[in-house]
Amino acid sequence: MLRAMIVDDEAPARSELRFLLEETGRVENITEASSARDAVEKLMDSRPDVLFLDISMPKTNGMQLAEALHKLKNPPAVVFVTAYSEYALEAFDVDAVDYLMKPVETDRLERALDKVEARGKQASAPAAPAERIPVEKGGRKVLVPIDQIRYIEAKDDYSCIYTDSDRYLSVISLAQLEAKLSPHGFFRVHRGYIVNLQYVEDVEVVSSGVMQLGIAGVEGKKISVSRRRVVQLKRALGL
């Protein structure tokens, strides 16, 4: 069962939507607010799962309220309920779940509730475990989460994996690691190096024209970039 808040400056519109929501049998608690300010004041107490939000309201309109809520860590779902179709594209910019036109039809309201429930299930689903790489350390196997890896260096028949505080050996080749890690933001900058792009701290072109990368958490280490990979790397870094 969902908790809902109806935000509309017109009392008849609130009453009609309340009736339709109650008829679905899927909403257990409905709060009404006559303005954006009224809605904000009631949000903490009612803690709705979804706001049914009119757009055209005095002072702060529904779109402005949705933009403010969108910045919260765990905002309620927003379903716009309006007589105006021209705001539909803007609704997607604030991650609205649905956009209903007045007068609201029962089947469209049911579909909107389906979307709200689907989003709720997705948000409450347990996070997938972090991808990990098996490595050798002190004669034992260790599983290193890939988001802790700063860079990887080829060492003879091994790959040397560096985190901010340790170094590990892996029998997985650099080519295999490249294939596994590329979808996770890693980039092979040189035949001997793979770099986790989220830890690239600075980019420098030295006198020889070679590009070098500084890696956060690895003091004094500079990794050279192969000339043929420079263009792709710049694109990946947004340079």
Side-chain angles (χ1 to χ4, degrees), residues 55-176:
I55 292 179
S56 180
M57 294 188 295
K59 296 183 180 179
T60 303
N61 64 38
M63 192 64 68
Q64 291 169 324
L65 175 59
E67 288 173 356
L69 294 176
H70 187 52
K71 297 174 183 177
L72 299 178
K73 184 176 181 180
N74 294 302
V78 170
V79 175
F80 284 111
V81 184
T82 177
Y84 302 94
S85 61
E86 60 265 32
Y87 297 103
L89 288 178
E90 290 182 54
F92 288 103
D93 289 337
V94 294
D95 203 24
V97 173
D98 211 339
Y99 193 96
L100 305 182
M101 295 295 296
K102 295 179 179 179
V104 177
E105 298 179 355
T106 302
D107 61 334
R108 280 295 287 118
L109 181 60
E110 290 278 7
R111 293 207 299 273
L113 292 174
D114 290 341
K115 293 178 183 180
V116 172
E117 290 176 350
R119 175 173 290 193
K121 290 176 183 177
Q122 184 178 7
S124 62
E131 291 268 1
R132 299 184 291 179
I133 299 292
V135 297
E136 296 282 346
K137 184 67 175 179
R140 62 192 179 93
K141 289 283 188 182
V142 178
L143 295 172
V144 178
I146 64 174
D147 59 3
Q148 293 181 12
I149 298 172
R150 261 54 175 180
Y151 69 95
I152 306 170
E153 183 180 5
K155 288 284 188 180
D156 299 322
D157 296 329
Y158 297 89
S159 297
C160 197
I161 296 176
Y162 292 84
T163 65
D164 64 335
S165 60
D166 220 330
R167 181 181 69 175
Y168 305 92
L169 285 178
S170 174
V171 296
I172 304 174
S173 71
L174 215 63
Q176 290 173 306

Side-chain angles (χ1 to χ4, degrees), residues 208-227:
S208 60
V210 174
M211 180 183 285
Q212 291 186 334
L213 306 177
I215 307 299
V218 187
E219 188 175 352
K221 178 66 177 179
K222 294 290 185 179
I223 296 177
S224 296
V225 180
S226 169
R227 293 182 187 276

